[in-house]
Structure formats: structure tokens, C-alpha cells
Amino acid sequence: MNVQAIPQLDSASATASVALESAGATPVMAQYFEAKARQPDALVFFRMGDFYELFFDDAIKAAGALGIAQTFRGNHNGQPIPMAGVPAHAAEAYLAKLIRAGFKVAVCEQMEDPAEARKRGSKSIVRRDVVRIVTPGTLTEDGLLDARGANRLAAIAVRGGQAAVASVELSTGEVECFTVARDGLGSALAALQPSETLCADRLFADEIVNAALKAAGGVIQPMASALAEPSASEARVKRLYGVDTLDGFGALTGAEISALGLIAAHLEVTQAGRLPALSAPRRAAEADVMAIDPATRASLEIERTLSGGRDGSLLAAIDRTITAPGARLLSARLARPLLDPAAIDARLDAVSWFVERRPLREELRGALKGAGDMARALSRLALGRGGPRDLGCLRDGLKTGEAIAAMALRQPEPLDPPPAEIEAALLALTPSTQPGLSTFLAMLEEGLGPELPAQARDGGFVASGAKPELDHVRQLRDDSRRVIIALETRLAAESGVPLKIRHNAVLGYFVETTAGKADPLFQPPLNATFIHRQTLANQVRFTTVELADLDARIAQAGERALAIEMAAFEAWREEARAVAQPLQAAAQALARLDVAAGLAEWAEDCAAVRPHVDRSTRFCAEGARHPVVEAAVKRAGDPFTPNDCILDAGGEAGPRLAIVTGPNMAGKSTFLRQNALMAILAQAGCFVPARALTLGVVDRLFSRVGAGDDLARGRSTFMAEMVETAAILTQATPRSFVILDEIGRGTATWDGLAIAWATAEALHDTNRCRGLFATHYHELAKLEERLAHVANLSLRAKEWNGDLVFLHECGPGPADRSYGVQVAKLAGVPAPVVARAREVLERLERDAESPARLDDLPLFAMAAPATPAFAPSSGLDKAVEALDLDGMSPREAMEALYRLKGMLPGR
């Protein structure tokens, strides 16, 4: 997402659209002015019947962003009022467009039925109030969210030189916070990928913070610095969680409390006082996860490709999850690989358990199809935006959990307990261990019907037999036609007059007969039963006491049935809030099982193996394969060539730094990336596509591959490359893993070679980290002789009948040449250009002992004729060399020219 701040109204616009004098305004417009004054920087969706209307500047902006008609309605202060509107039933789609465009939207709802307003007087208007403010980080509706992607609201704070990041996934209730060094903010935010980031306005003057915010993407929301003060922040966080002390959340630092306080302040405003169901803040440390800066994350295409899509990324290649929560959890694990080998092994144990139990895995994955997204359903219910379908999602998810727990109990090895992660998940799903959930599930199973509407106000979601009073009023409502027909038959028989009972919105139910047949009904004794209501040209209408009573009861039955259902819904919603914590635990358990089973499925499909992760500094990959590229070539019906890679920062098991050479298109970049991805997969707790992998944990991963320019920040491609290289050289540690591709190619040849040489030396001598350095500067191959722990690797290619064949095999030693001209031929460069390139290359290679003169280089030399006009003799050469050009007079120069001409062959 492009970095953008939420559009703010300038002072002139605010004066025009907010501080408008309401004197003379209609009561409805006065309501609008009040709502707008409370949210001057938001577009106000003002509910009027079946539409949300926008007025004044809001209407103009929304019409432009949404492509809808902008009209005028009425006048204010002598000027027509701009207006635009969207249907209430389609509001989500329009909200999504506005949020993507960077706006925030204040939703001003009707708080009562128009009938209630009329009870206060004929001129009373419906009460309205702002019920929420929609921003990118506070979305909860399925229609506004990516089901398989997280939608995080983040906040950063800096106190006493210590930075902290807090984040909340409002749609699931997950909260976390952690402290970081200021220069680690970029990596921390890049891992979270927030949709919206809150930051105290005073921090925008901090260059490090500003750069981290811009690199993270999403919408940046400035907040008043006073909101980040620790004491005020602590009070807001206590209100958010409904606690008297924060001691139960651990020893939160001042910076962490400030970051959480910014989130609490934002939620108080945007949710209009409704408290979401949030989990306790999960605290993490900067040392808990692998640091991956934004440039590395982008170049390795971990979660998104460089074009921004999911297809073609590492995540898309390995994702076999069934549920949306499982997909989000897998994405989070890839974004933040672990550093603790024990925690990594716990995840790998869970995957191994499912790899070894294919029948159980298949049965579990089939059951997960009915699980739904419990976490997001619970969040909507807690915020008052959920409906019966969300209750149904909780019911179905809990039933799925019960079924999965029962599957595990049926396993043939009862004395061999499952791994800790699997066991904890099954425990959270076992009804006997969660009595609150068991009672809640029984209530929903008994009370919810089979067909559930999206909104509670639509009714019909309470099961028959659940509430006797509801069944009675439903029978009256639903059987009204049968009751009316029976009354109609009886009245016709008793009166002897042909009549019908009809209904309209004005009279309700009435008895109708033709004018010619109506006279007996006016005469005794029938006039005591039939009360005249209306006479038309051809019909006469009557009512009876019995019909009027029945009419009232039928009308009230529908209202009463809906009232009973709404009361039941509210009771169930409150019960869901009461068991929110075990519900969230059950939802997380299903997601963990889905991820473990999905990774086992992928491992079996792709012949991936369990890596060995320890605290050494080794990297030993045997037969490693790039998971994304392998999938692509297999779809094309081609094989993928695996390769080994051995590195050791200590220089014992292998070199510390490998210089990788080879032709373009031979696979150098793929080789570099696949080894970096091995580290991410292993430390995320996934199997790896290789015959074997031994990995010493990587604390920081750096990739300088395929940089482009950064026009927005005034950086050329070479400058962007140097900035990324500088970050690597200043931050890489002996536990880091670095891949560099073509350092120095964006400048003059000798400058580039010098930079590449110095960078390789620094990585080896100063950073002392594991690294792969791909280059076309073959001079770097000499580093193997000069430095203790450097080795050469090369990607092989062979010429066959004038064509170049790429073997994609990586072996020891440097490449003999780059084959650039052959690659140009394969790319379709015109034949004359290729021929000229070969000629220039041969001249340069002949003169390889010393640098080519400027006029000998291709850009400055004229192309030689296909057939030389003459072959200069040695006598002519000597005569030219003997000329003293500076000491010759014009006449002497002319004579020398004629003399030289006479020396030409054939003269």
C-alpha cells in the first residue's frame, strides 16, 4: 500500500463545512452540522432512511472518489447544498473504496425508528448519532477485509531513547507490544505490515522514525503528543481492558504503555465507546525474531511479490491451509521467523506429527472446512456489528473443535502423547476442559435455527421450540391467512352476503362486498356486527369487533416475535463476550492445527524435509530448491536443478563468504534467494525443500538483490543500492546471513569493482557473517587466495553448436566467462548488434593486459568496415610516428601529407 496520511480538511475548508451557522438550518441539517463538528476530518455518512447521504465538501469528495452523482438539495445561507448518497444495503462496498482512497468515514446512524420519533410530536425528527469512525486499521466487516490477510493497527512511541511498537488486529482481538532500538523500527513495522500506523506528531521530526513509517507502508495517522504521555496512556489502557492495574500484563515499559495508549485513544474515538474483545497484550522482545528490513522483505517476495500480488510469493507457494485464520497465522510466522531453537523445534514437532499421520491429517483438514472464522465473528459481536451468522460461526467452530479433539483421542497410540503444540491446541478444543464453552455451545445449538440471516433485525434465526412464547406469536403471525379465511367463511355464512376480508396499509383488515349486496349489512340485526368503514363507487367496506381485535393481534405478533428474537440475540451476544477468552483460545487452536497440517501437506507434496536448527553459525544445505521457482518450472513440465551450499561464519565447516559467478540467466539470483528462503522457512517452523539442512540461527537477514530507483526520495538505482549496502555493512553481525547480487554495477567499471571488492572484504573481515556475493567482476575471484574464509562458486553453462546451454548447476571455482553476448543473442538482440558486440569483445579481450583506451571502447569507436580498405605497412607506420606535428610549418605539413600519400600501396 502506498504511504499516505488520512486526508485532513484545511482550515478554510473546515471553516466552510464545519463552522457553518446552523441558524436557519432545518432540524435535520442541524443534526448533520453537529455530527460534522465532532468529526471535521472525516466524511460523514449521514443515515436518512435507506441511504447514507453526504453533504457539502463531503459530497464533492465522495462523488469524485466513488464515481457517483453529486447533486444539490435545498439551500443553506442562500447557497445550494451539494449532496451525494449511497444505498445503505451496499454501503460496505462504498466504504471499502473510500478507505482504500485514504479517507476515514464517520457513520452517523438513526438511533430510533421513525415511529418512535413521531410519538414525541409530529415535528420531531429521528435521533441520530455517530456510532463509529471507519479507518483502515479498524475494519471488522468481512466485506472490507482480506479473509486470508491480517489487518493491523499499529502505534509507535519513543521515550528515553527507547522505542516501542504496539499493534492490534481489531477483527480478531489480538494485541502485542515490544520494545526495539530506534533503528530497528523499520524492520519491526515491516514485519507487521500495518494498514494504519499511529504516531505522536512530535516524532515526525525524527528522521529515523520518519523513514521507518514511510518504509512500512499503510496510512500514517498523526496523533497529538499529549495522548502518548505515560500517565494518560496508562489510564486509557486500564479503561480499555477494564482493569485497575497493568501489573498482570508484565513489566510494561513507558514506551510500550505510550504505544498501547495511542491505540486505546484511537479505539475510544473510532468505536464510539464500544469496548472490543481484546486479548491481553502479548509481549515480545526484539531478540525473539529474525530482523528482516523492508528492502530484504520486498526482494525476497516473502508475502507479496514486487508487483504487490500474493501469487508468486513464498507464502502462496507453501500455503496449504484450509481456513482464513490458518492462512493469517502462517503469514505471521513467515513474516517473523523465530530465533529460539527450542521454540522452532516445537513448531517442527507439530508438522512432523502430521507428516507421520496422513489419514488423521486428511480427516482433520476435511473437518476444518466447517470451522469458519471464529475470531473475527467474536470481534464483530463484541463491537455490536455482528449478526446471527456470526453466532452460527461460533457454534460451527466449536463443533468442529469438538470433532477434531475426538479424532485425536481415537488415535491408536494413546500412550504416545502428541507434541506440546498439538496437545495444547486439543486441550483448548476439548469441551470437558472448557465448561464455559460447553455451556455456550449447548445454548447456541438449542437456540439457533438452521437458516441464519445476516442481520438480527431480519428475524427468523431462533429455532422452533427454543422459546414457547416466540412459537405462539409466530403461529399467530404465520397462520394469519388461515385464521382470516376461517373468519371470512363464517361471516359470509352468518350474514348470507357474499363478502371478502381484505387488507391495506390504511385500514388494515376489513370486510368488503359489492355496493349492490351491502344493504343487508346496514339493517338490523347485522348492523350490530358489521360496522361501516368506507363506501366506494362499487364496493362498501366494513369491520367487526372480532376482526379489529384480530388485526391488532396479528400486527403486534410480528413486532413481538422480532422483539423476542432481538432480546435472545443480545443475550447470546453478551454470553459470547463473557466467554471471549476461551473462544479466542479455541480459534487460535484451530489456526495452529490448520497451519501444522497444511505445512505437513506441503512437505509431502514437495518432498520437503525437517531442518536441524541450532545455535552454531553453520549453513549446510544439501540439494536445496527454490520453492517458488520449482513450482513454476514444474507447472511448465520442466525439472528444477537442486544445489548445495555450505557456509560457516567460523570458517570451520565451510567458507564464511562465497563469491558466486556465472552467466546471466544461469541461476545466480535464484541460488542466492533460495538459500535465504531456507533460513526463513526453517526458523518459521516449516520443513524445507532440500535433502537436508543444518542451520545456525540467523539473527538478521539481508538481501541486496535487484534494487530499483527510488524517485520519490530522489535516489538513482545506484544510490538506492549503496543505501542498502550501507545498512548491511553497519548492521550485520556474525550471526547474520547476507546475499548480495551485482554490487557496483550501476557506476563506472573500475569504481564498481572497487566498491564490490571493498564490500566483500568488509563482510569477511569486519561483519564476519555468512554471505553469498554474486558478481560479474571476475577479478573478485582472487579474494579466495587473499582472504582466509572465502571460496568461489559458479553456475555452469556450456556452448553447444554456437548456442548457450544453462546447466543451473552450482560448483566450486570461478566461472571462465560471463557469456553476455550469447545471452544477448538468446534475448533476441538483432544479429548485426550481436556481431558487433562479439568484435568489440574480442578486441577488449586481446588488450586484457592493460585498460582499453577511451577511443578503443565501443561507445567511442566507429565500427570497422566489414572488409578493411588497406593493411598499413610498417614503413608508413614509421613515417607517421616520425612526424613532429607541433614543430611543422603549414607548408611542411602539406609536403608531409603528399609524401605519406605516395607511400600508400599501389601508388
Side-chain angles (χ1 to χ4, degrees):
M1 182 185 293
N2 292 330
V3 178
Q4 52 185 330
I6 293 178
Q8 308 284 322
L9 295 178
D10 56 37
S11 58
S13 178
T15 301
S17 60
V18 177
L20 292 169
E21 297 181 8
S22 58
T26 65
V28 171
M29 289 310 299
Q31 272 186 340
Y32 168 79
F33 289 140
E34 180 186 357
K36 185 64 180 176
R38 288 162 54 192
Q39 299 297 332
D41 60 343
L43 302 182
V44 176
F45 264 35
F46 193 74
R47 184 68 177 265
M48 298 185 74
D50 293 333
F51 281 80
Y52 285 107
E53 304 289 1
L54 300 101
F55 300 102
F56 298 101
D57 287 352
D58 289 2
I60 296 170
K61 292 176 181 178
L66 298 176
I68 59 177
Q70 183 255 302
T71 59
F72 294 91
R73 171 178 176 174
N75 290 277
H76 181 72
N77 290 341
Q79 297 294 324
I81 300 173
M83 184 188 77
V86 300
H89 70 270
E92 274 193 13
Y94 291 104
L95 274 175
K97 287 184 181 180
L98 290 172
I99 296 303
R100 284 196 295 268
F103 292 98
K104 65 178 180 180
V105 179
V107 181
C108 187
E109 281 286 0
Q110 294 180 174
M111 305 304 292
E112 62 182 351
D113 189 88
E116 290 296 316
R118 285 194 291 270
K119 292 178 182 178
R120 298 194 300 271
S122 59
K123 294 186 178 180
S124 296
I125 61 172
V126 175
R127 283 192 307 107
R128 294 178 174 86
D129 199 2
V130 175
V131 297
R132 67 181 291 205
I133 300 166
V134 186
T135 67
T138 59
L139 304 177
T140 56
E141 292 82 355
D142 280 342
L144 303 179
L145 294 170
D146 175 6
R148 301 180 75 82
N151 186 67
R152 295 188 181 93
L153 170 68
I156 62 173
V158 178
R159 302 209 67 81
Q162 183 70 53
V165 178
S167 76
V168 59
E169 164 66 286
L170 191 62
S171 68
T172 63
E174 298 171 13
V175 182
E176 65 177 322
C177 61
F178 48 91
T179 57
V180 294
R182 283 171 60 251
D183 59 7
L185 280 171
S187 296
L189 288 176
L192 292 173
Q193 292 187 315
S195 299
E196 181 179 4
T197 304
L198 313 176
C199 180
D201 48 19
R202 65 177 176 81
L203 292 180
F204 285 94
D206 187 321
E207 290 186 7
I208 293 177
V209 173
N210 211 8
L213 289 170
K214 291 179 179 178
V219 167
I220 302 169
Q221 176 63 54
M223 304 285 283
S225 295
L227 296 175
E229 292 302 317
S231 57
S233 294
E234 183 175 351
R236 279 192 298 273
V237 176
K238 288 178 182 177
R239 287 199 302 271
L240 180 64
Y241 281 98
V243 297
D244 293 329
T245 177
L246 301 183
D247 293 346
F249 299 151
L252 294 171
T253 66
E256 288 175 313
I257 292 174
S258 293
L260 288 168
L262 288 177
I263 288 178
H266 193 60
L267 293 182
E268 282 181 357
V269 174
T270 59
Q271 306 311 303
R274 290 184 180 270
L275 292 178
L278 300 180
S279 62
R282 181 174 63 85
R283 298 190 68 207
E286 185 179 16
D288 288 346
V289 297
M290 180 193 294
I292 308 175
D293 62 36
T296 299
R297 197 172 294 277
S299 72
L300 293 179
E301 300 181 307
I302 300 170
E303 297 154 89
R304 300 283 173 183
T305 63
L306 292 174
S307 62
R310 189 176 187 273
D311 289 344
S313 67
L314 173 65
L315 175 61
I318 71 168
D319 188 0
R320 298 290 191 277
T321 56
I322 299 295
T323 68
R328 295 197 298 268
L329 179 59
L330 177 60
S331 176
R333 288 186 177 183
L334 285 181
R336 303 171 71 186
L338 300 176
L339 295 185
D340 181 10
I344 294 167
D345 278 337
R347 291 181 179 179
L348 293 172
D349 288 343
V351 178
S352 296
W353 196 73
F354 279 117
V355 167
E356 297 164 1
R357 292 163 176 79
R358 184 175 183 180
L360 172 63
R361 185 177 80 229
E362 291 177 346
E363 187 179 4
L364 179 141
R365 284 167 59 81
L368 283 171
K369 293 176 182 178
D373 197 333
M374 292 174 62
R376 286 188 169 174
L378 174 62
S379 181
R380 285 191 293 272
L381 289 166
L383 290 168
R385 297 173 200 149
R389 289 180 186 171
D390 291 310
L391 288 172
C393 180
L394 297 182
R395 175 196 63 192
D396 296 343
L398 291 175
K399 288 172 65 177
T400 298
E402 275 190 340
I404 289 174
M407 289 176 201
L409 291 175
R410 295 198 306 267
Q411 287 304 295
E413 323 98 7
L415 299 180
D416 184 16
E421 183 168 297
I422 302 294
E423 190 171 24
L426 295 175
L427 189 65
L429 298 173
T430 303
S432 60
T433 64
Q434 305 290 339
L437 287 188
S438 181
T439 303
F440 180 66
L441 174 58
M443 180 192 309
L444 294 185
E445 287 188 299
E446 179 185 356
L448 287 177
E451 298 294 330
L452 302 177
Q455 301 294 331
R457 63 174 178 266
D458 295 331
F461 55 86
V462 176
S464 298
K467 295 187 176 296
E469 183 187 1
L470 178 60
D471 292 341
H472 174 72
V473 294
R474 277 179 173 173
Q475 183 177 10
L476 180 60
R477 180 197 65 192
D478 299 338
D479 292 349
S480 61
R481 182 61 183 164
R482 181 181 56 79
V483 174
I484 290 295
I485 290 175
L487 179 60
E488 177 186 285
T489 303
R490 180 162 58 82
L491 290 176
E494 291 175 355
S495 66
V497 176
L499 51 82
K500 294 287 185 183
I501 295 180
R502 303 189 185 280
H503 182 274
N504 66 30
V506 177
L507 298 179
Y509 285 101
F510 55 86
V511 176
E512 182 179 86
T513 186
T514 61
K517 303 289 186 179
D519 191 58
L521 302 182
F522 286 104
Q523 307 301 321
L526 294 180
N527 63 348
T529 302
F530 292 89
I531 304 167
H532 178 251
R533 294 290 305 275
Q534 190 177 36
T535 300
L536 303 177
N538 298 313
Q539 288 88 25
V540 182
R541 293 171 175 174
F542 301 84
T543 188
T544 70
V545 173
E546 184 180 5
L547 180 60
D549 179 62
L550 183 60
D551 188 3
R553 286 190 291 121
I554 290 172
Q556 292 170 1
E559 296 176 2
R560 180 60 184 154
L562 183 57
I564 294 172
E565 291 201 80
M566 291 297 293
F569 175 78
E570 287 301 317
W572 292 334
R573 191 174 72 84
E574 287 304 316
E575 286 293 329
R577 283 188 62 92
V579 294
Q581 189 172 352
L583 278 173
Q584 288 170 337
Q588 291 168 1
L590 288 172
R592 289 194 187 98
L593 292 173
D594 190 15
V595 169
L599 288 174
E601 189 80 7
W602 172 75
E604 186 174 288
D605 290 346
C606 299
V609 299
R610 176 173 180 157
H612 173 74
V613 183
D614 56 30
R615 295 192 180 277
S616 71
T617 57
R618 291 177 297 166
F619 181 94
C620 301
E622 299 178 21
R625 311 183 305 276
H626 193 300
V628 180
V629 177
E630 181 183 31
V633 298
K634 279 189 174 180
R635 285 194 296 270
D638 299 323
F640 184 92
T641 304
N643 281 297
D644 299 346
C645 180
I646 299 177
L647 298 170
D648 186 351
E652 298 177 359
R656 179 181 299 156
L657 178 67
I659 305 297
V660 184
T661 53
N664 294 103
M665 298 296 293
K668 295 192 302 298
S669 294
T670 298
F671 177 73
L672 265 60
R673 285 187 171 101
Q674 81 183 23
N675 288 296
L677 294 181
M678 292 291 117
I680 291 174
L681 286 171
Q683 292 185 217
C686 309
F687 279 31
V688 295
R691 287 196 306 273
L693 174 69
T694 298
L695 173 70
V697 287
V698 174
D699 65 348
R700 291 173 176 266
L701 182 64
F702 295 98
S703 169
R704 215 309 311 162
V705 179
D709 55 24
D710 189 349
L711 298 180
R713 299 164 78 175
R715 293 175 179 172
S716 65
T717 299
F718 180 69
M719 183 61 177
E721 173 187 291
M722 290 298 99
V723 168
E724 293 174 13
T725 303
I728 294 170
L729 296 177
T730 56
Q731 297 177 31
T733 73
R735 284 202 171 277
S736 299
F737 192 96
V738 175
I739 61 172
L740 295 168
D741 191 13
E742 305 292 353
I743 288 293
R745 64 181 173 180
T747 187
T749 302
W750 302 110
D751 284 356
L753 175 58
I755 291 170
W757 188 291
T759 299
E761 286 183 336
L763 289 173
H764 179 275
D765 295 338
T766 304
N767 302 102
R768 304 174 68 83
C769 59
R770 291 160 287 184
L772 295 171
F773 195 120
T775 184
H776 282 289
Y777 295 131
H778 290 186
E779 293 84 350
L780 294 184
K782 296 177 182 178
L783 289 172
E784 184 176 29
E785 303 168 2
R786 294 170 176 262
L787 300 177
H789 305 300
V790 172
N792 285 305
L793 297 175
S794 58
L795 275 296
R796 308 301 191 195
K798 296 292 184 183
E799 285 191 275
W800 179 260
N801 293 332
D803 292 326
L804 188 63
V805 179
F806 299 114
L807 303 180
H808 302 298
E809 295 174 355
C810 185
D816 56 348
R817 56 192 301 188
S818 289
Y819 298 97
V821 175
Q822 289 88 337
V823 173
K825 177 183 176 182
L826 290 175
V829 173
V833 177
V834 172
R836 171 61 174 158
R838 289 186 188 277
E839 178 185 331
V840 172
L841 178 62
E842 290 171 1
R843 291 178 61 193
L844 292 173
E845 288 177 340
R846 281 200 308 268
D847 201 22
E849 295 299 321
S850 62
R853 294 191 305 255
L854 185 65
D855 57 356
D856 284 337
L857 294 177
L859 289 177
F860 301 94
M862 295 295 291
T867 303
F870 64 93
S873 67
S874 59
L876 183 60
D877 291 343
K878 292 178 180 179
V880 172
E881 290 175 356
L883 294 177
D884 181 13
L885 298 179
D886 293 329
M888 298 173 70
S889 67
R891 181 178 180 84
E892 289 171 336
M894 181 66 71
E895 291 174 351
L897 183 58
Y898 279 107
R899 189 170 60 254
L900 292 172
K901 184 177 180 180
M903 296 175 65
L904 292 174
R907 293 282 180 175

PDB file of all heavy atoms in Angstrom, residues 467-480:
ATOM      1  N   LYS A 467     -38.125 -21.186  22.359  1.00  0.00           N
ATOM      2  CA  LYS A 467     -38.832 -20.237  23.226  1.00  0.00           C
ATOM      3  C   LYS A 467     -40.329 -20.368  22.963  1.00  0.00           C
ATOM      4  O   LYS A 467     -40.807 -19.947  21.898  1.00  0.00           O
ATOM      5  CB  LYS A 467     -38.354 -18.815  22.962  1.00  0.00           C
ATOM      6  CG  LYS A 467     -36.877 -18.601  23.337  1.00  0.00           C
ATOM      7  CD  LYS A 467     -36.466 -17.162  23.232  1.00  0.00           C
ATOM      8  CE  LYS A 467     -35.030 -16.991  23.706  1.00  0.00           C
ATOM      9  NZ  LYS A 467     -34.830 -17.310  25.124  1.00  0.00           N
ATOM     10  N   PRO A 468     -41.124 -20.940  23.918  1.00  0.00           N
ATOM     11  CA  PRO A 468     -42.563 -21.166  23.700  1.00  0.00           C
ATOM     12  C   PRO A 468     -43.330 -19.892  23.338  1.00  0.00           C
ATOM     13  O   PRO A 468     -44.206 -19.926  22.479  1.00  0.00           O
ATOM     14  CB  PRO A 468     -43.031 -21.738  25.039  1.00  0.00           C
ATOM     15  CG  PRO A 468     -41.800 -22.356  25.634  1.00  0.00           C
ATOM     16  CD  PRO A 468     -40.670 -21.490  25.202  1.00  0.00           C
ATOM     17  N   GLU A 469     -43.019 -18.773  23.985  1.00  0.00           N
ATOM     18  CA  GLU A 469     -43.734 -17.535  23.672  1.00  0.00           C
ATOM     19  C   GLU A 469     -43.497 -17.124  22.223  1.00  0.00           C
ATOM     20  O   GLU A 469     -44.420 -16.690  21.528  1.00  0.00           O
ATOM     21  CB  GLU A 469     -43.278 -16.417  24.612  1.00  0.00           C
ATOM     22  CG  GLU A 469     -44.041 -15.106  24.376  1.00  0.00           C
ATOM     23  CD  GLU A 469     -43.494 -13.944  25.188  1.00  0.00           C
ATOM     24  OE1 GLU A 469     -42.509 -14.146  25.934  1.00  0.00           O
ATOM     25  OE2 GLU A 469     -44.045 -12.835  25.078  1.00  0.00           O
ATOM     26  N   LEU A 470     -42.281 -17.304  21.765  1.00  0.00           N
ATOM     27  CA  LEU A 470     -41.961 -16.963  20.375  1.00  0.00           C
ATOM     28  C   LEU A 470     -42.721 -17.873  19.419  1.00  0.00           C
ATOM     29  O   LEU A 470     -43.244 -17.422  18.387  1.00  0.00           O
ATOM     30  CB  LEU A 470     -40.452 -17.081  20.141  1.00  0.00           C
ATOM     31  CG  LEU A 470     -39.960 -16.811  18.717  1.00  0.00           C
ATOM     32  CD1 LEU A 470     -40.310 -15.397  18.269  1.00  0.00           C
ATOM     33  CD2 LEU A 470     -38.448 -17.031  18.620  1.00  0.00           C
ATOM     34  N   ASP A 471     -42.809 -19.165  19.754  1.00  0.00           N
ATOM     35  CA  ASP A 471     -43.557 -20.082  18.891  1.00  0.00           C
ATOM     36  C   ASP A 471     -45.014 -19.652  18.787  1.00  0.00           C
ATOM     37  O   ASP A 471     -45.623 -19.734  17.702  1.00  0.00           O
ATOM     38  CB  ASP A 471     -43.474 -21.510  19.452  1.00  0.00           C
ATOM     39  CG  ASP A 471     -42.061 -22.082  19.359  1.00  0.00           C
ATOM     40  OD1 ASP A 471     -41.273 -21.548  18.557  1.00  0.00           O
ATOM     41  OD2 ASP A 471     -41.767 -23.047  20.088  1.00  0.00           O
ATOM     42  N   HIS A 472     -45.615 -19.188  19.916  1.00  0.00           N
ATOM     43  CA  HIS A 472     -47.018 -18.786  19.910  1.00  0.00           C
ATOM     44  C   HIS A 472     -47.246 -17.575  19.004  1.00  0.00           C
ATOM     45  O   HIS A 472     -48.170 -17.585  18.171  1.00  0.00           O
ATOM     46  CB  HIS A 472     -47.466 -18.471  21.344  1.00  0.00           C
ATOM     47  CG  HIS A 472     -48.852 -17.921  21.427  1.00  0.00           C
ATOM     48  ND1 HIS A 472     -49.985 -18.686  21.210  1.00  0.00           N
ATOM     49  CD2 HIS A 472     -49.295 -16.646  21.687  1.00  0.00           C
ATOM     50  CE1 HIS A 472     -51.065 -17.930  21.329  1.00  0.00           C
ATOM     51  NE2 HIS A 472     -50.675 -16.694  21.620  1.00  0.00           N
ATOM     52  N   VAL A 473     -46.423 -16.535  19.159  1.00  0.00           N
ATOM     53  CA  VAL A 473     -46.641 -15.334  18.337  1.00  0.00           C
ATOM     54  C   VAL A 473     -46.283 -15.603  16.881  1.00  0.00           C
ATOM     55  O   VAL A 473     -46.890 -15.025  15.968  1.00  0.00           O
ATOM     56  CB  VAL A 473     -45.855 -14.127  18.892  1.00  0.00           C
ATOM     57  CG1 VAL A 473     -46.383 -13.719  20.255  1.00  0.00           C
ATOM     58  CG2 VAL A 473     -44.360 -14.414  18.969  1.00  0.00           C
ATOM     59  N   ARG A 474     -45.316 -16.491  16.648  1.00  0.00           N
ATOM     60  CA  ARG A 474     -45.013 -16.859  15.261  1.00  0.00           C
ATOM     61  C   ARG A 474     -46.197 -17.566  14.622  1.00  0.00           C
ATOM     62  O   ARG A 474     -46.505 -17.338  13.446  1.00  0.00           O
ATOM     63  CB  ARG A 474     -43.781 -17.773  15.225  1.00  0.00           C
ATOM     64  CG  ARG A 474     -42.453 -17.070  15.252  1.00  0.00           C
ATOM     65  CD  ARG A 474     -41.332 -18.092  15.237  1.00  0.00           C
ATOM     66  NE  ARG A 474     -40.023 -17.484  15.093  1.00  0.00           N
ATOM     67  CZ  ARG A 474     -38.874 -18.148  15.193  1.00  0.00           C
ATOM     68  NH1 ARG A 474     -38.904 -19.466  15.447  1.00  0.00           N
ATOM     69  NH2 ARG A 474     -37.725 -17.532  15.054  1.00  0.00           N
ATOM     70  N   GLN A 475     -46.856 -18.428  15.391  1.00  0.00           N
ATOM     71  CA  GLN A 475     -48.004 -19.144  14.834  1.00  0.00           C
ATOM     72  C   GLN A 475     -49.108 -18.166  14.461  1.00  0.00           C
ATOM     73  O   GLN A 475     -49.719 -18.290  13.396  1.00  0.00           O
ATOM     74  CB  GLN A 475     -48.519 -20.170  15.845  1.00  0.00           C
ATOM     75  CG  GLN A 475     -49.676 -21.023  15.317  1.00  0.00           C
ATOM     76  CD  GLN A 475     -50.117 -22.068  16.322  1.00  0.00           C
ATOM     77  OE1 GLN A 475     -49.703 -22.046  17.476  1.00  0.00           O
ATOM     78  NE2 GLN A 475     -50.951 -22.998  15.878  1.00  0.00           N
ATOM     79  N   LEU A 476     -49.333 -17.196  15.353  1.00  0.00           N
ATOM     80  CA  LEU A 476     -50.351 -16.193  15.057  1.00  0.00           C
ATOM     81  C   LEU A 476     -49.965 -15.382  13.819  1.00  0.00           C
ATOM     82  O   LEU A 476     -50.795 -15.117  12.950  1.00  0.00           O
ATOM     83  CB  LEU A 476     -50.532 -15.272  16.263  1.00  0.00           C
ATOM     84  CG  LEU A 476     -51.570 -14.159  16.111  1.00  0.00           C
ATOM     85  CD1 LEU A 476     -52.954 -14.740  15.847  1.00  0.00           C
ATOM     86  CD2 LEU A 476     -51.589 -13.280  17.357  1.00  0.00           C
ATOM     87  N   ARG A 477     -48.696 -15.010  13.736  1.00  0.00           N
ATOM     88  CA  ARG A 477     -48.227 -14.227  12.588  1.00  0.00           C
ATOM     89  C   ARG A 477     -48.265 -15.040  11.300  1.00  0.00           C
ATOM     90  O   ARG A 477     -48.772 -14.576  10.269  1.00  0.00           O
ATOM     91  CB  ARG A 477     -46.794 -13.750  12.849  1.00  0.00           C
ATOM     92  CG  ARG A 477     -46.172 -12.922  11.730  1.00  0.00           C
ATOM     93  CD  ARG A 477     -44.655 -12.871  11.896  1.00  0.00           C
ATOM     94  NE  ARG A 477     -44.073 -14.218  11.741  1.00  0.00           N
ATOM     95  CZ  ARG A 477     -42.822 -14.520  12.047  1.00  0.00           C
ATOM     96  NH1 ARG A 477     -42.043 -13.592  12.587  1.00  0.00           N
ATOM     97  NH2 ARG A 477     -42.362 -15.745  11.853  1.00  0.00           N
ATOM     98  N   ASP A 478     -47.771 -16.257  11.374  1.00  0.00           N
ATOM     99  CA  ASP A 478     -47.628 -17.051  10.153  1.00  0.00           C
ATOM    100  C   ASP A 478     -48.940 -17.700   9.720  1.00  0.00           C
ATOM    101  O   ASP A 478     -49.142 -17.968   8.532  1.00  0.00           O
ATOM    102  CB  ASP A 478     -46.568 -18.137  10.357  1.00  0.00           C
ATOM    103  CG  ASP A 478     -45.201 -17.540  10.662  1.00  0.00           C
ATOM    104  OD1 ASP A 478     -44.987 -16.359  10.311  1.00  0.00           O
ATOM    105  OD2 ASP A 478     -44.375 -18.251  11.261  1.00  0.00           O
ATOM    106  N   ASP A 479     -49.837 -17.953  10.704  1.00  0.00           N
ATOM    107  CA  ASP A 479     -51.101 -18.605  10.358  1.00  0.00           C
ATOM    108  C   ASP A 479     -52.231 -17.599  10.178  1.00  0.00           C
ATOM    109  O   ASP A 479     -53.410 -17.973  10.166  1.00  0.00           O
ATOM    110  CB  ASP A 479     -51.492 -19.607  11.457  1.00  0.00           C
ATOM    111  CG  ASP A 479     -50.538 -20.786  11.515  1.00  0.00           C
ATOM    112  OD1 ASP A 479     -49.727 -20.914  10.580  1.00  0.00           O
ATOM    113  OD2 ASP A 479     -50.600 -21.557  12.482  1.00  0.00           O
ATOM    114  N   SER A 480     -51.869 -16.330  10.088  1.00  0.00           N
ATOM    115  CA  SER A 480     -52.912 -15.299   9.999  1.00  0.00           C
ATOM    116  C   SER A 480     -53.800 -15.497   8.778  1.00  0.00           C
ATOM    117  O   SER A 480     -55.022 -15.283   8.842  1.00  0.00           O
ATOM    118  CB  SER A 480     -52.270 -13.914   9.963  1.00  0.00           C
ATOM    119  OG  SER A 480     -51.422 -13.788   8.829  1.00  0.00           O
TER     120      SER A 480
END
